[in-house]
Every structure is written in structure tokens, then in C-alpha cells.
Amino acid sequence: MTIGEIVEQAMRNGYLTPTMEAEVGRICDNASELAVEEYQSLDRLMGALLTGQVVAVPRKQFINVMEELVLTEAITRVSQIEATSDHTLDLGDIAAYALNRLPPLYATTEEGATYQRQRAKQELLDLIIQQVETAISRNLDQPDFYPERHALESDHQKDLLGQVSSLLQAYAPDYEQPVKS
């Protein structure tokens, strides 16, 4: 995508997303010299941001507190079972099964996360335990891992590494590893 295309999209939508902002930064950082049209597009974007015609969407961090609660319960139960038997359980399968049957509890601040944890412990703890137990039961009854099933981990790791690499390139394009002597 070019700077001009990004600016046109921002003007049309009325907002500049963090991804669009990063792309503009990446283009500017990687170009030794920008074309006149690119400078004009950047000037147009700056004017639109200053007048409020385009709004920059802030980066927002959030978590699903339910993931933390389910993982804690699942780790506790799986550890107990594996310590007292010869069963090996798949923690990822158990957590995913339980999470798919529980409501998400998103928070954007520490205070919000604390509130969601307290609320879940008061109102949803029995349901969390029940879903983790059901997930464990299903995992124990599951036949051995079929050869045609492929874990997400390998593709997910490649995708994750690609995303991290892209972020590092966008935010630190001039960073170089120190040379070891």
C-alpha cells in the first residue's frame, strides 16, 4: 500500500488505525527520499489530523481475564491427575474446550481486570470448575492423537514470529544487533 492509498482510506473512513500509522512510518523509514506526491499526501494527512477530519485510533491493550482463570484451574487439575496417574493431558485442548463454553471477561485496565477476576470468582467459579472438569473428562476419553490432526503451534509460531518481526521493523527499523567481539 502506498502513502497516498493509506491517506485516501483514512480520509474516506475518518480515522487512522495503528496499522495504517505503522505502515506510513515503515514507508517513510525505508525510503531514502520520498516523492513529491508522497510529501503532499503526508501533508494532507497531517492537516486532516490537525483539523479533526481524521482521528487517530489509539492503541488499546486488553485481556480476557477468563483465560487466566481457566488456565489456573486447568493447570491445577491437570497437575493433580498427572501426578497420581499415568495419563498425559493436553492443557491447550482442555483450556480451549472450557473457554469455548464460558463467557469472555475482557478488561482494559488493571482495575477492570481485578473487578472481572472478583466477579468471576463470585459468580462463575462453579461454572469454570465444571467446564474444566468436562474438558478433562473429554480429553481423557479421547483416542490417541490422530496423525491427520495438526497442532496450531507450528503455523501459529511462524505467524507470530512474522508479526513480531514486522512490528520490530516498523518501530525500530534502524536497530542493529551489537556485534560480538
Side-chain angles (χ1 to χ4, degrees):
M1 206 174 221
T2 67
I3 292 175
E5 293 170 331
I6 294 169
V7 171
E8 285 303 316
Q9 185 178 357
M11 298 294 285
R12 188 172 48 253
N13 296 336
Y15 57 85
L16 181 70
T17 67
T19 303
M20 294 162 74
E21 182 182 345
E23 183 65 12
V24 168
R26 186 191 64 75
I27 292 169
C28 290
D29 289 340
N30 290 331
S32 58
E33 195 172 306
L34 295 175
V36 172
E37 297 83 22
E38 291 172 315
Y39 279 114
Q40 290 172 336
S41 292
L42 286 174
D43 189 49
R44 187 171 168 220
L45 178 60
M46 184 60 70
L49 286 166
L50 289 172
T51 62
Q53 184 180 1
V54 171
V55 178
V57 178
R59 287 177 175 78
K60 194 71 168 178
Q61 297 293 323
F62 56 89
I63 61 167
N64 180 0
V65 174
M66 187 59 79
E67 290 178 10
E68 171 189 319
L69 298 171
V70 166
L71 276 172
T72 300
E73 181 64 25
I75 289 168
T76 301
R77 290 293 297 126
V78 166
S79 297
Q80 292 169 348
I81 292 168
E82 288 182 348
T84 59
S85 72
D86 61 346
H87 293 290
T88 301
L89 299 169
D90 188 322
L91 185 61
D93 279 355
I94 291 166
Y97 182 93
L99 284 166
N100 281 329
R101 287 152 182 82
L102 291 164
L105 299 174
Y106 286 98
T108 59
T109 64
E110 286 300 322
E111 296 79 9
T114 299
Y115 169 79
Q116 293 287 40
R117 279 185 206 97
Q118 290 171 346
R119 180 177 151 234
K121 288 176 182 176
Q122 291 171 353
E123 300 173 18
L124 300 170
L125 188 58
D126 290 339
L127 184 59
I128 293 168
I129 292 169
Q130 175 191 2
Q131 292 303 328
V132 169
E133 289 296 327
T134 301
I136 288 171
S137 175
R138 290 185 59 94
N139 195 267
L140 286 169
D141 293 339
Q142 180 177 325
D144 287 337
F145 200 80
Y146 292 108
E148 65 270 9
R149 286 182 66 197
H150 300 284
L152 288 175
E153 185 175 19
S154 60
D155 290 340
H156 179 68
Q157 279 183 328
K158 289 177 191 172
D159 186 42
L160 182 61
L161 290 173
Q163 289 176 13
V164 170
S165 177
S166 294
L167 280 173
L168 288 174
Q169 288 174 349
Y171 289 105
D174 299 325
Y175 176 78
E176 292 182 19
Q177 292 281 104
V179 178
K180 294 181 181 178
S181 348

